[in-house]
């Protein structure tokens, strides 16, 4: 929810992002991309499986459309196909909950680990 991301929004808003390239995975309605734009990011690539969520993001959470690119894709499939030389100053990984019970925790942790390991190589040094 929006409240769950308050701290992350504050951190991104305070980050030195002037001229930065930002990759926002599981972008949903694009609020974190908007915050990155406000912090000065020059390029924000937002990826989410929901075309409707990205359309909402483009319509309501963008001030400078030229800075944003929206990709409708399953992040778990899209990210491993991202060329290894695609580097970003900031990679935001904000997946939805992958567990709803204690029995799912082990599988969810494995999923998060796989996701973060796939995203990490795309962070520019000092990113």
């Amino acid at each position: 929810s929006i409240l769950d991301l308050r701290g992350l929004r504050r951190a991104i808003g305070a980050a030195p992002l002037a001229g930065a390239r930002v990759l926002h995975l599981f972008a949903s309605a694009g609020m974190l991309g908007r915050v990155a734009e406000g912090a000065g990011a020059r390029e924000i690539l937002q990826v989410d499986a929901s075309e409707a969520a990205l359309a909402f993001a483009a319509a309501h959470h963008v001030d400078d459309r030229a800075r944003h690119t929206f990709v409708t894709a399953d992040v778990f499939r899209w990210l491993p196909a991202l060329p290894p030389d695609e580097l970003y100053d900031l990679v935001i990984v904000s997946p939805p909950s992958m567990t709803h019970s204690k029995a799912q925790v082990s599988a969810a942790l494995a999923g998060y680990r796989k996701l973060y390991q796939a995203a990490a190589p795309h962070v520019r040094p000092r990113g």
Side-chain angles (χ1 to χ4, degrees):
S1 82
I2 290 173
L3 295 177
D4 296 337
L5 299 175
R6 283 184 295 190
L8 187 53
R9 287 196 323 263
R10 277 193 292 270
I12 292 167
L17 294 180
R21 293 184 77 212
V22 174
L23 173 60
H24 183 198
L25 302 171
F26 303 97
S28 188
M31 181 53 77
L32 296 177
R34 179 187 188 107
V35 173
E37 179 186 345
R42 73 172 161 82
E43 181 181 336
I44 303 113
L45 175 58
Q46 303 200 63
V47 184
D48 197 274
S50 172
E51 187 173 355
L54 292 176
F56 182 89
H60 301 287
H61 292 152
V62 169
D63 288 326
D64 182 353
R65 182 64 173 95
R67 294 193 205 175
H68 294 264
T69 301
F70 297 94
V71 174
T72 303
D74 176 335
V75 172
F76 288 98
R77 291 187 179 150
W78 181 88
L79 185 57
L82 189 63
D85 61 342
E86 275 294 309
L87 300 177
Y88 296 86
D89 301 291
L90 175 64
V91 176
I92 303 166
V93 184
S94 56
S97 174
M98 289 195 253
T99 183
H100 299 288
S101 72
K102 269 183 145 179
Q104 297 171 328
V105 169
S106 180
L109 289 175
Y112 288 128
R113 190 174 303 110
K114 183 177 177 180
L115 178 61
Y116 297 130
Q117 287 172 340
H122 297 287
V123 180
R124 187 179 313 281
R126 301 194 211 288

